Amino acid sequence: MATVEQQPAPAADGIRVENPATGEVIATVPVASAEDVRVIVARARAAQPAWEALGFDGRAKVLRRAQKWVVDNADRIVETIVSETGKTYDDAVINEIGYAATAFGFWAKHAPRYLADEKVRSSSPFVLGRKLVVRYRPLGVIGVIGPWNYPLTNSFGDCIPALAAGNAVVLKPSEVTPLTSQLMAGAMRECGLPEDVLIVATGDGATGAALVDEVDMVMFTGSTRTGKKIMERAAQTLTPVSLELGGKDPMIVLADADLERASSAAAYYSMQNAGQTCISVERVYVEEPIYDQFVDRVTRKVAALRQGVSTGPGTVDVGAMTFPPQLDIVSRHVEQARDAGARVLTGGVVHTDGGSFYEPTVLVDVDHSMACMTEETFGPTVPIMKVADAEEAVRLANDSEYGLAASVWTKDAARGEEIARRVEAGVVCVNDAQLNYLALELPMGGWKSSGMGSRHAAGGIRKYCRQQSLLVTRFAPPKGDLQFYPFRAGRTKLIGKAVKLLYGRGKRD
Ligand code: NAD
């Protein structure tokens, strides 16, 4: 994956932001130093209590206004996203505006329920008659560190539940794509978010590292390599982290799959956003009886895709590589596979005239000795492998350090679900892929090297909170409970007998 060493070098006057589809420099943003980060976090910390005191209703008002702002200003946001990522208008509308508009409303509505006090019943006789409650309090200042592939969905999107919970947020967007975050910070102020409750600190890896030292919790989305560094650094201050990392998502196509739908989905979910989606289809396993037909259809569909500079909706299907050094990783995977005997049925070519493009590519005759089947490619490639049966497909799908998402394709949905349950991934779709991301009621998080923690659903907001348990005793014997001092043999024996009576009866096997 992209490494820190590969990130753009800061110019003396800041980081130059390029449009990767045209090569044009479109802005320069400052690099926040460690001292700047300290000051920024202190400002956010000072602003947080008043934001928390507004309560769910007060905060929801701001979030709902922001939802409307996103819809009303969609064109402006899309222009910004397209200019800094080189993605298509269509990808920006569907997967960024579509997500943000949903997320603001979702968290405004569900935060009170997910974070409401929970009354708890206990089976322990020791706490009989006591009131037991679990409650959630915001942690304080959350540091959100984001990647370059989805500046609105993946960087800014994770700020929304953190804010809904009553935290202040300092957002460190990728140095490759900082402009959408800046635009959204302005939008939030326009929508009534109090000053300093959300601050964008632009900068590079060092800025991100400094943020880890200062905040109360880190929400990180990015490569597994950086995720490990963040966890190591956060350990010094025992700061909790939530890590959404890389993936190598398998697609399993069974012999009874709907060929037309499965081949269209393989083309779309591998090439959408030029393959730069953490949950894109990165490798495909197809049962032998339909392998040739499947490969034919996918190749025709991928070869027909239009690639280039997106100048409006529907103008091209596949955009640029957002981070130009990513071209080297994609090229290495394809070349290495080719050298080892794989065939490139379409694509396999880099275009750097003006922008940074990699042609949509179909690879066959691949196996697990090749990086294109084991390492995250994060580009517009789809390697397809023939398997004898579903058992082999599951075994190969699980033969990976990653476990982010996966999909199974079959007309027999029940069998598909059975197979899905055996795949080692945080999300598995049957006859679909990626769609789970838009259902915020469903948790989404990686297994193995794909991360820890999750976003969306109750866990996606509770992680931004301290959990507090309350035990309230209203009525109790004034002279004390049975277990109080001084210990008396009779009472201890009585307790022992009660424990035996409660938990010691009955056969076990
Ligand atoms: P990256 O790890 O290179 O950078 C991510 C962010 O971390 C950037 O803002 C960067 O400045 C910052 N950073 C770099 N070094 C740091 C350090 N030492 N301490 C703190 N912050 C540091 O990732 P990327 O190349 O921008 O993004 C692509 C990766 O993100 C892919 O692996 C992709 O799969 C992953 N991703 C995962 C998800 C998910 O939900 N699981 C979503 C989107 C992207």
Side-chain angles (χ1 to χ4, degrees), residues 166-179:
N167 295 285
V169 175
V170 177
L171 166 61
K172 208 301 277 176
S174 167
E175 51 274 57
V176 183
T177 55
L179 306 181

Side-chain angles (χ1 to χ4, degrees), residues 35-284:
E35 182 49 31
D36 295 336
V37 168
R38 253 193 299 281
V39 172
I40 286 170
V41 173
R43 275 168 45 204
R45 203 173 287 295
Q48 186 270 334
W51 174 241
E52 181 183 354
L54 272 185
F56 288 115
D57 289 347
R59 296 196 293 273
K61 261 188 204 150
V62 175
L63 299 182
R64 290 210 170 90
R65 272 186 226 133
Q67 182 181 39
K68 177 93 167 55
W69 194 96
V70 166
V71 175
D72 291 347
N73 293 275
D75 290 346
R76 199 170 144 201
I77 306 172
V78 168
E79 293 276 344
T80 306
I81 295 174
V82 169
S83 71
E84 66 178 345
T85 60
K87 68 173 72 185
T88 64
Y89 272 73
D90 314 74
D91 279 328
V93 170
I94 299 165
N95 296 306
E96 303 244 42
I97 299 294
Y99 179 83
T102 309
F104 275 117
F106 178 85
W107 293 115
K109 181 176 173 194
H110 293 286
R113 182 165 65 85
Y114 288 143
L115 301 183
D117 282 8
E118 287 168 34
K119 274 207 165 165
V120 171
R121 290 162 68 101
S122 170
S123 63
S124 169
F126 288 99
V127 299
L128 211 65
R130 271 69 169 186
K131 177 180 167 188
L132 310 178
V133 177
V134 180
R135 72 181 284 247
Y136 300 94
R137 284 274 326 268
L139 276 159
V141 181
I142 308 297
V144 175
I145 303 176
W148 43 255
N149 57 338
Y150 284 94
L152 182 59
T153 300
N154 278 151
S155 290
F156 187 79
D158 288 314
C159 301
I160 304 171
L163 291 170
N167 295 285
V169 175
V170 177
L171 166 61
K172 208 301 277 176
S174 167
E175 51 274 57
V176 183
T177 55
L179 306 181
T180 305
S181 294
Q182 289 183 326
L183 175 68
M184 288 308 297
M188 294 306 290
R189 274 197 300 279
E190 220 177 282
C191 294
L193 188 74
E195 197 67 26
D196 290 344
V197 170
L198 169 74
I199 306 177
V200 173
T202 53
D204 51 17
T207 308
L211 189 59
V212 174
D213 294 342
E214 299 298 326
V215 292
D216 301 309
M217 185 264 181
V218 180
M219 169 61 223
F220 173 74
T221 306
S223 63
T224 298
R225 180 190 155 102
T226 309
K228 286 179 184 173
K229 285 189 193 168
I230 286 182
M231 194 165 167
E232 203 176 324
R233 185 139 186 160
Q236 306 311 310
T237 46
L238 276 186
T239 302
V241 294
S242 183
L243 305 174
E244 298 288 345
L245 310 176
K248 188 71 191 169
D249 296 1
M251 173 180 192
I252 296 175
V253 186
L254 302 184
D256 70 343
D258 179 328
L259 256 183
E260 186 50 25
R261 179 171 167 77
S263 57
S264 295
Y268 176 66
Y269 288 117
S270 61
M271 301 299 155
Q272 170 270 337
N273 209 40
Q276 303 162 111
T277 300
C278 54
I279 48 174
S280 65
V281 165
E282 282 255 337
R283 51 194 171 121
V284 185

